[in-house]
């Protein structure tokens, strides 16, 4: 039976009801949040507006900033219910690379080189554990998360990323189609998107 | 649950938890849905999950690249309201 004990995630949430039932409802809502057409439309329009805004403030938008904006709008859509979304919003803008440098400075080179050998003999981290660690690094804000919570965060994150890809593809196709046609044609042909 | 320590989440995760995690993840990853579910080992599912997330990240990166180029060449300010309306339809 899955262990649905309350974790720090639930203490911060403002919804009522006992943590276990909220948790179950959350899983159903997760799917709806990222898979309905409506949510997709809302995200793509919000993203587009955010991109136009950032273009107005800075002279050029690099791909990296755009990616960051897309991630932040995606995280906002989660409405603070998941750890990965909060981690994205809490991270300072374009300081990601600086933080990574700091982390690398702490770990000395020879330790890193020795790691693969030491693992097998003394650390005896099995393959599964190592892969779990890799997964934790991929999902934002989940480096110290337990197995069950990691599952929730990962499944939510994956579905959210899929929506992000769909939305950005739609915007890209829309804009590139708009280039080829006259502005008046654009409105007529997009109704079936 | 035996073997579960609250201090660090990494050490001694029980097999049950891993099995549960793996079976749930399997349903989400397109690669694994297509094949018969019983044959995928835990490490394979986790590997596929990591690869899938990395692929999604890469796709978003490429899309950001394309979009930034597109936006640079289009003047969207005038049509912005119209575009947003179309996206919402």
């Amino acid at each position: 039976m899955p262990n649905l004990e309350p974790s720090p995630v639930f203490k911060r949430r403002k919804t009522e009801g006992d943590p276990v039932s909220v948790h179950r409802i959350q899983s159903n809502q997760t799917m709806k949040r990222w898979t309905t057409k409506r949510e997709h439309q809302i995200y793509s329009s919000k993203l587009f507006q955010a991109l136009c805004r950032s273009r107005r403030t800075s002279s050029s938008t690099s791909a990296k900033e755009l990616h960051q904006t897309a991630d932040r709008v995606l995280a906002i859509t989660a409405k603070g219910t998941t750890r990965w979304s909060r981690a994205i919003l809490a991270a300072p803008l374009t300081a990601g690379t600086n933080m990574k440098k700091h982390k690398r400075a702490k770990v000395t080179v020879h330790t890193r080189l020795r790691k693969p050998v030491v693992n097998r003999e003394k650390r005896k981290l099995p393959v599964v554990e190592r892969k779990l660690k890799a997964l934790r690094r991929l999902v934002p804000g989940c480096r110290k998360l337990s197995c069950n919570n990691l599952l929730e965060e990962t499944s939510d994150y994956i579905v959210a990323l899929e929506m992000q890809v769909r939305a950005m593809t739609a915007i890209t196709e829309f804009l590139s189609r708009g280039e080829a046609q006259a502005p008046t044609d654009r409105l007529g042909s997009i109704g079936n998107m | 649950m035996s073997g579960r320590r609250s201090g660090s989440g990494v050490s001694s995760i029980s097999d049950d938890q891993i099995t549960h995690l793996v079976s749930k993840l399997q349903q989400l990853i397109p690669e694994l849905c297509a094949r018969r579910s019983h044959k995928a080992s835990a490490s394979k599912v986790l590997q596929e999950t990591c690869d899938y997330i990395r692929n999604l990240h890469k796709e978003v990166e490429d899309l950001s690249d394309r979009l930034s180029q597109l936006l640079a060449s289009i003047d969207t300010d005038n049509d912005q309201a119209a575009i947003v309306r179309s996206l919402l339809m």
Side-chain angles (χ1 to χ4, degrees):
Chain A
M1 198 157 100
N3 189 1
L4 290 173
E5 62 178 28
S7 70
V9 177
F10 301 108
K11 284 178 192 158
R12 282 184 214 147
R13 213 181 285 153
K14 289 177 188 169
T15 51
E16 292 147 353
D18 118 81
V20 175
S21 56
V22 167
H23 188 97
R24 280 200 203 106
I25 292 168
Q26 157 79 348
S27 315
N28 296 333
Q29 284 177 344
T30 294
M31 285 306 163
K32 287 221 179 104
R33 171 172 290 143
W34 308 114
T35 53
T36 59
K37 187 176 179 203
R38 188 70 196 146
E39 289 298 334
H40 170 265
Q41 287 172 335
I42 292 174
Y43 175 66
S44 29
S45 58
K46 272 200 187 149
L47 173 58
F48 184 70
Q49 286 173 311
L51 291 175
C52 290
R53 237 179 295 144
S54 68
R55 270 188 72 221
R56 260 180 257 139
T57 50
S58 69
S59 54
S60 68
T61 316
S62 70
K64 186 171 155 70
E65 287 167 15
L66 203 148
H67 191 165
Q68 238 176 29
T69 308
D71 281 343
R72 287 173 83 90
V73 179
L74 190 71
I76 288 171
T77 309
K79 296 201 175 86
T81 52
T82 54
R83 191 171 280 248
W84 66 262
S85 57
R86 289 197 297 269
I88 288 180
L89 293 173
L93 287 166
T94 64
T97 43
N98 293 339
M99 285 171 69
K100 274 182 199 160
K101 278 180 193 160
H102 273 299
K103 277 184 187 166
R104 286 215 182 115
K106 279 185 193 169
V107 179
T108 53
V109 176
H110 62 261
T111 310
R112 293 197 66 172
L113 283 174
R114 230 186 264 158
K115 240 186 176 178
V117 180
V118 175
N119 259 349
R120 247 176 270 149
E121 295 162 351
K122 295 179 187 172
R123 294 295 226 86
K124 47 171 182 148
L125 268 187
V127 175
V128 173
E129 296 266 353
R130 259 189 282 135
K131 304 226 184 269
L132 268 179
K133 213 171 172 186
L135 183 60
R136 281 197 183 92
R137 263 183 287 159
L138 282 172
V139 184
C142 293
R143 281 177 198 238
K144 300 226 177 121
L145 223 50
S146 67
C147 211
N148 276 331
N149 292 331
L150 182 64
L151 164 68
E152 289 295 329
E153 293 288 326
T154 305
S155 43
D156 194 69
Y157 188 52
I158 287 178
V159 190
L161 281 178
E162 288 171 345
M163 186 187 85
Q164 190 181 36
V165 169
R166 282 197 305 272
M168 290 178 72
T169 310
I171 296 178
T172 309
E173 284 176 4
F174 180 56
L175 287 179
S176 45
R177 236 193 295 167
E179 279 212 302
Q181 298 173 1
T184 45
D185 287 348
R186 227 186 291 175
L187 294 178
S189 59
I190 293 310
N192 39 3
M193 240 188 154
Chain B
M1 258 210 173
S2 62
R4 188 113 111 89
R5 278 165 219 149
S6 53
S8 75
V10 184
S11 57
S12 343
I13 296 175
S14 71
D15 286 341
D16 284 347
Q17 284 187 302
I18 294 185
T19 321
H20 177 61
L21 174 78
V22 163
S23 64
K24 284 293 165 71
L25 283 177
Q26 230 170 347
Q27 297 163 21
L28 290 172
I29 316 294
E31 286 279 314
L32 301 166
C33 273
R35 303 173 201 158
R36 260 164 281 141
S37 54
H38 300 299
K39 295 205 174 170
S41 70
S43 90
K44 176 115 173 82
V45 172
L46 285 171
Q47 184 63 50
E48 291 292 335
T49 309
C50 292
D51 290 342
Y52 188 53
I53 294 182
R54 273 189 217 115
N55 281 340
L56 287 172
H57 281 165
K58 184 86 179 43
E59 264 193 78
V60 175
E61 237 180 84
D62 293 341
L63 280 168
S64 314
D65 217 17
R66 268 183 79 189
L67 255 183
S68 65
Q69 287 170 3
L70 266 177
L71 284 175
S73 59
I74 297 178
D75 173 28
T76 49
D77 290 343
N78 299 332
D79 300 316
Q80 191 186 350
I83 295 176
V84 172
R85 239 178 286 135
S86 323
L87 286 170
L88 285 171
M89 269 197 277

